[in-house]
Amino acid sequence: MICYIVYFQVENVKLLDRFNIRKPCTGTLYLTTTHLIFIDNDGKKECWILHSHMSSVEKLAITTAGCPIQIRCKNFMNITFLIHRERDSHDIYTSLMELSKPDDIENLYAFQFSTQDSMPKSFGWSHFDLQSEYLRMGAPNKNWVMSNLNLEYELCDTYSKYIFVPAVASTPVIMGSSKFRSRGRLPALSYLHRENQASISRCSQPLSGFSARCVEDEQMLQAVLKSNPNSKYMFVVDTRPKINAMANKAAGKGYENENFYSNIKFQFLGIENIHVMRGSLQKLLEVCELKSPSMNSFLTGLENSNWLKHIKAVVDTSAFIATAVQEGINVLVHCSDGWDRTAQTCSLASLMLDPYYRTIQGFQALIEKEWLAFGHKFTDRCGFLSTVDSKENSPVFTQFLESVWQISQQFPCAFQFNERFLIAIHDHVYSCQFGTFIGNCEKDRIDLRLSERTYSLWGYVAQHINEFSNPLFKKEYELTHSILIPNTSPQCFKFWRGLYNRFENGIHPREPVMDILSANKDHSNSLEDHVALLEKRVTQICKLLGKSDDIIQRKLQGFLSVDSLDGILADHVDNNALPQKFLRSSLMSRSNVEERDATLESSLILGSPSTDLLTIDQLVSELKTVAIDWRSFRRVYNCTCAAPFDHYVKKFHCWKCGEIFCGRCITKNIPLPGHYSRRPVPVCKPCYLQVRSSPSPELPTS
């Protein structure tokens, strides 16, 4: 357990439930260096709020009952504490205002976070290599090469040091195009289709103004076109509404002049800017926070927020890009500076085109390439620091994750990861617990030496891979649905209750279907492993008793029948053989095993106490290490440690006792003696101590 320094604590604090105001939960509020922690007086309920998750802290009007403080979080938790004394309320408020928004990037949680797990800080940072990812796509080749002009970030300081450009583009053309593009973000390869050689490239808007032109930039786009000899033209997709792009001309920017670029088709696809998206999310959250909304008020509020309209615009644009590439046409994508809407659409289009990006490892590679290597202003957009203008905040990455979720709802068997995986990434982007998303570009992360000083989110994902696996995923789906173009009709888009209302337990089904499927799958695997072990034990015993292979096979076909097993030992019951009574009890229910005759406990199957053979005690212990019955998820709301199970928190079954625990009460990767494969499985901590102290040697095979 990690120790937290407690600044101060306040007792007799009430946690208000907006759905049940008359029955607040009373407990103690602890303010630590990293969390605000509430524990009720009975020790049955806990609430942990990370300071970096807090979006706003507000002191509400004082009432006769006390001084309320409302906390809204970036993970969409909305919680209110009622504090009895105004002085305590003021101290909590001022402390949270300071702790939730540090003014220095090195004061973020990632630089303080430590774990007692065996995971070193370096684990996860080397899981992705940009050059290897382009090599997987087929670059470099005769049409695309890696440029060395940005190795010191001199060409574009917000791009990766490794950028892939058309092979026919000369150094003057590359440099000239960079100077003509906003912030130097020149056209560079984003995705290459291995079969038809069509590509997605990305950049920022040109500095064209009302009349400016750049010959080198025109040559650069022609070089992008020539990289695909099978296409006579290419698309330039401007993801902005055309009126916004025209407005930028007044600032000397804008969009490409069709008179200067030949064999190019221009498309404006109308995704709104970061300010519109920020306001839209705020309206959506206001709808989510309604106490008892009517159907009409909820649907009206959802429509007025325009949130799903914006999600549809992002998916529509991405589908257009993916369809063009599927048809063998090159696409160049940009917005204003090429790190918001461009990142959304290029990554989603790649996801639609490439099944690899629908796996857990591939999705990490997609984020690393499109959002981290090409630069997205995570520090600014996510509001990590108090020194960043709040107008720079925007839910751009949240929209990307929701778009992926919307597509996964249409193709539930095509994705290796589940909803929890997307939510975990969303939460840890804002938590600053890992250094993966800190900084606005690759250069920022290198300057901060994040790979040396902080943990990687991908290392955490690797250690919790079973939590994020989709039980419906079918590997063979790649063959029949290698390209996914979703239906973008309005009725196909859903409200993502699991993200925006996941802390409201009363409005969710009792259990997520995916969790039930995963638990049933795990339980089946456990029982199959146990059956295989029993078959192995029966085979070993039969061989020791001199039975032929044919007899063994016949016995194995019905070995679950105790009567048939009695026949195996009918003529072999003596002081050195396995007694019939024990065999009966060991292959019946667990309760019968526990009621076995005490005199048999010290008997040996074969040999003497000095030999290294399996005793009855050891065999019984081995059989009891596997839970035959697992507890149902129904009506399990809290772990034994009082941690709540909300819609997002995964419930773990202990494979030994079958009870349910949270992640911090389970010990993972423990091989159970009662399993044939002995593969690592999750076990609760009390059971782990029993397993560790109960070795089980193998029977000899002859």
Side-chain angles (χ1 to χ4, degrees):
M1 185 72 177
I2 299 175
C3 295
Y4 296 92
I5 300 176
V6 178
Y7 282 164
F8 56 86
Q9 66 185 62
V10 181
E11 297 180 352
N12 198 29
V13 174
K14 294 181 179 179
L15 172 60
L16 303 183
D17 185 343
R18 64 190 181 95
F19 292 105
N20 191 7
I21 300 178
R22 296 182 179 180
K23 293 184 178 180
C25 185
T26 304
T28 303
L29 196 63
Y30 300 89
L31 182 66
T32 75
T33 52
T34 58
H35 291 76
L36 184 67
I37 306 171
F38 174 84
I39 301 178
D40 76 336
N41 291 335
D42 297 328
K44 295 182 179 180
K45 182 179 180 62
E46 291 184 8
C47 180
W48 293 58
I49 309 174
L50 193 61
H51 296 328
S52 50
H53 265 159
M54 297 179 185
S55 175
S56 66
V57 182
E58 183 180 359
K59 286 182 68 176
L60 304 180
I62 298 177
T63 67
T64 55
C67 308
I69 291 182
Q70 185 178 47
I71 302 172
R72 288 186 171 91
C73 299
K74 298 171 185 177
N75 61 352
F76 308 119
M77 175 187 282
N78 183 2
I79 196 166
T80 302
F81 294 106
L82 187 63
I83 301 174
H84 182 65
R85 296 176 55 194
E86 198 279 334
R87 174 68 178 273
D88 292 334
S89 173
H90 178 74
D91 290 343
I92 290 284
Y93 171 76
T94 54
S95 298
L96 292 180
M97 290 295 292
E98 179 181 350
L99 292 169
S100 61
K101 285 286 184 70
D103 54 5
D104 188 342
I105 197 167
E106 298 202 12
N107 290 333
L108 292 176
Y109 183 35
F111 296 97
Q112 308 170 39
F113 173 70
S114 62
T115 176
Q116 291 184 335
D117 296 336
S118 58
M119 183 176 73
K121 284 189 175 179
S122 59
F123 183 59
W125 285 108
S126 59
H127 284 189
F128 173 78
D129 179 72
L130 187 62
Q131 291 176 279
S132 298
E133 175 56 21
Y134 276 99
L135 189 63
R136 186 193 67 84
M137 291 189 288
N141 56 31
K142 63 180 181 179
N143 298 317
W144 293 93
V145 297
M146 189 182 76
S147 172
N148 294 322
L149 296 177
N150 203 43
L151 291 178
E152 301 297 329
Y153 304 102
E154 294 179 352
L155 187 68
C156 176
D157 61 358
T158 58
Y159 271 1
S160 167
K161 63 174 65 176
Y162 304 118
I163 58 174
F164 286 77
V165 296
V168 298
S170 63
T171 297
V173 167
I174 295 172
M175 297 183 68
S177 178
S178 176
K179 292 178 181 177
F180 188 65
R181 293 282 168 173
S182 177
R183 300 183 183 272
R185 296 173 65 85
L186 71 155
L189 179 65
S190 168
Y191 176 76
L192 180 64
H193 196 289
R194 291 186 67 96
E195 296 179 6
N196 61 24
Q197 293 301 298
S199 65
I200 302 174
S201 301
R202 54 181 292 180
C203 61
S204 61
Q205 65 183 338
L207 305 177
S208 56
F210 288 103
S211 59
R213 63 180 295 187
C214 175
V215 175
E216 290 83 2
D217 190 69
E218 296 163 20
Q219 293 173 344
M220 186 67 175
L221 265 63
Q222 288 302 309
V224 173
L225 172 60
K226 291 177 182 178
S227 68
N228 181 10
N230 302 319
S231 179
K232 296 181 180 179
Y233 67 93
M234 65 178 282
F235 284 113
V236 171
V237 172
D238 192 324
T239 60
R240 300 168 293 181
K242 188 171 183 178
I243 189 172
N244 292 18
M246 293 176 65
N248 283 341
K249 281 184 173 289
K253 300 178 181 179
Y255 54 93
E256 295 83 356
N257 189 327
E258 297 185 38
N259 297 325
F260 302 147
Y261 296 87
S262 58
N263 300 319
I264 291 177
K265 295 184 178 182
F266 294 88
Q267 296 284 334
F268 289 92
L269 292 175
I271 303 175
E272 297 290 350
N273 62 31
I274 62 171
H275 311 294
V276 173
M277 300 306 186
R278 182 175 61 250
S280 177
L281 179 62
Q282 181 57 43
K283 293 179 181 178
L284 176 73
L285 296 181
E286 290 173 2
V287 175
C288 295
E289 293 171 6
L290 294 174
K291 289 185 178 180
S292 300
S294 64
M295 179 64 75
N296 182 62
S297 62
F298 178 80
L299 293 178
T300 301
L302 183 61
E303 180 182 9
N304 290 339
S305 73
N306 287 323
W307 182 254
L308 290 180
K309 174 185 174 183
H310 298 317
I311 297 295
K312 174 176 162 41
V314 173
V315 178
D316 269 331
T317 303
S318 306
F320 175 85
I321 297 169
T323 302
V325 172
Q326 182 185 11
E327 295 172 352
I329 303 171
N330 282 7
V331 182
L332 175 67
V333 186
H334 71 74
C335 50
S336 295
D337 291 322
W339 50 37
D340 293 315
R341 291 164 281 198
T342 302
Q344 289 176 331
T345 53
C346 286
S347 50
L348 282 174
S350 300
L351 183 88
M352 296 174 190
L353 291 165
D354 197 333
Y356 173 66
Y357 293 135
R358 299 170 218 147
T359 66
I360 293 176
Q361 181 180 1
F363 194 71
Q364 296 173 27
L366 181 66
I367 292 175
E368 285 277 354
K369 175 168 64 74
E370 298 295 340
W371 294 85
L372 298 175
F374 272 108
H376 173 67
K377 301 171 70 174
F378 281 103
T379 297
D380 295 353
R381 296 291 182 260
C382 299
F384 293 158
L385 304 176
S386 61
T387 53
V388 175
D389 188 348
S390 61
K391 293 182 179 179
E392 286 290 303
N393 301 166
S394 189
V396 176
F397 193 72
T398 301
Q399 286 184 317
F400 162 67
L401 293 177
E402 173 163 349
S403 299
V404 174
W405 179 82
Q406 296 283 357
I407 298 171
S408 71
Q409 296 302 291
Q410 295 190 31
F411 304 97
C413 298
F415 292 81
Q416 187 187 22
F417 50 83
N418 57 18
E419 176 188 50
R420 181 176 285 109
F421 180 62
L422 298 175
I423 295 177
I425 292 176
H426 177 273
D427 284 1
H428 285 304
V429 166
Y430 287 100
S431 73
C432 299
Q433 180 172 326
F434 303 96
T436 306
F437 296 100
I438 292 176
N440 289 329
C441 59
E442 181 181 278
K443 184 177 183 298
D444 285 354
R445 286 181 278 278
I446 290 177
D447 290 344
L448 288 169
R449 297 186 295 111
L450 293 175
S451 61
E452 303 171 21
R453 304 170 61 195
T454 66
Y455 290 91
S456 168
L457 174 61
W458 310 137
Y460 169 83
V461 168
Q463 289 195 327
H464 298 77
I465 196 76
N466 291 334
E467 299 178 38
F468 305 130
S469 298
N470 174 17
L472 299 179
F473 175 64
K474 296 180 181 179
K475 182 69 175 177
E476 60 272 16
Y477 211 76
E478 297 179 3
L479 301 176
T480 58
H481 296 75
S482 59
I483 296 178
L484 302 181
I485 304 298
N487 187 334
T488 59
S489 300
Q491 58 268 32
C492 294
F493 290 87
K494 305 176 182 179
F495 171 69
W496 193 1
R497 179 185 57 193
L499 178 64
Y500 303 111
N501 282 117
R502 76 173 187 267
F503 296 103
E504 311 294 350
N505 292 327
I507 67 171
H508 292 281
R510 286 179 298 194
E511 298 301 332
V513 175
M514 291 300 181
D515 283 359
I516 295 176
L517 287 175
S518 295
N520 289 338
K521 184 178 179 181
D522 288 343
H523 195 188
S524 297
N525 290 339
S526 173
L527 295 177
E528 288 172 1
D529 256 7
H530 192 47
V531 168
L533 180 68
L534 294 178
E535 290 178 346
K536 178 182 178 182
R537 294 296 185 227
V538 171
T539 300
Q540 291 171 333
I541 293 171
C542 288
K543 286 186 176 182
L544 289 170
L545 298 176
K547 300 297 181 181
S548 67
D549 290 342
D550 290 340
I551 294 177
I552 293 174
Q553 289 302 318
R554 288 200 302 270
K555 297 301 181 183
L556 282 178
Q557 290 176 3
F559 86 94
L560 289 178
S561 167
V562 176
D563 292 336
S564 65
L565 284 170
D566 284 345
I568 298 176
L569 302 176
D571 301 322
H572 300 276
V573 179
D574 53 39
N575 292 334
N576 291 326
L578 184 68
Q580 283 183 326
K581 183 177 180 181
F582 168 70
L583 188 61
R584 284 178 180 273
S585 61
S586 66
L587 295 178
M588 293 173 67
S589 66
R590 287 177 59 195
S591 60
N592 289 340
V593 172
E594 294 169 356
E595 294 169 1
R596 68 190 183 282
D597 195 312
T599 60
L600 296 172
E601 293 184 6
S602 58
S603 301
L604 287 172
I605 293 176
L606 288 169
S608 63
S610 61
T611 62
D612 188 22
L613 298 178
L614 191 64
T615 66
I616 291 177
D617 273 346
Q618 292 166 335
L619 181 56
V620 171
S621 176
E622 180 183 75
L623 295 175
K624 291 177 64 178
T625 56
V626 176
I628 304 301
D629 297 319
W630 282 13
R631 184 180 179 185
S632 170
F633 283 155
R634 182 179 295 183
R635 291 189 292 274
V636 179
Y637 306 112
N638 294 82
C639 179
T640 55
C641 69
F645 289 125
D646 57 35
H647 181 71
Y648 164 67
V649 175
K650 181 174 175 61
K651 299 175 182 177
F652 292 91
H653 276 102
C654 170
W655 289 44
K656 182 182 184 302
C657 67
E659 293 297 317
I660 297 172
F661 300 90
C662 69
R664 69 184 185 184
C665 294
I666 208 83
T667 302
K668 302 171 187 175
N669 301 326
I670 305 301
L672 283 182
H675 277 150
Y676 177 77
S677 64
R678 298 298 299 274
R679 69 180 185 277
V681 298
V683 177
C684 69
K685 293 180 179 179
C687 288
Y688 168 65
L689 296 176
Q690 297 177 22
V691 171
R692 189 173 60 177
S693 61
S694 303
S696 179
E698 294 288 315
L699 276 170
T701 57
S702 61

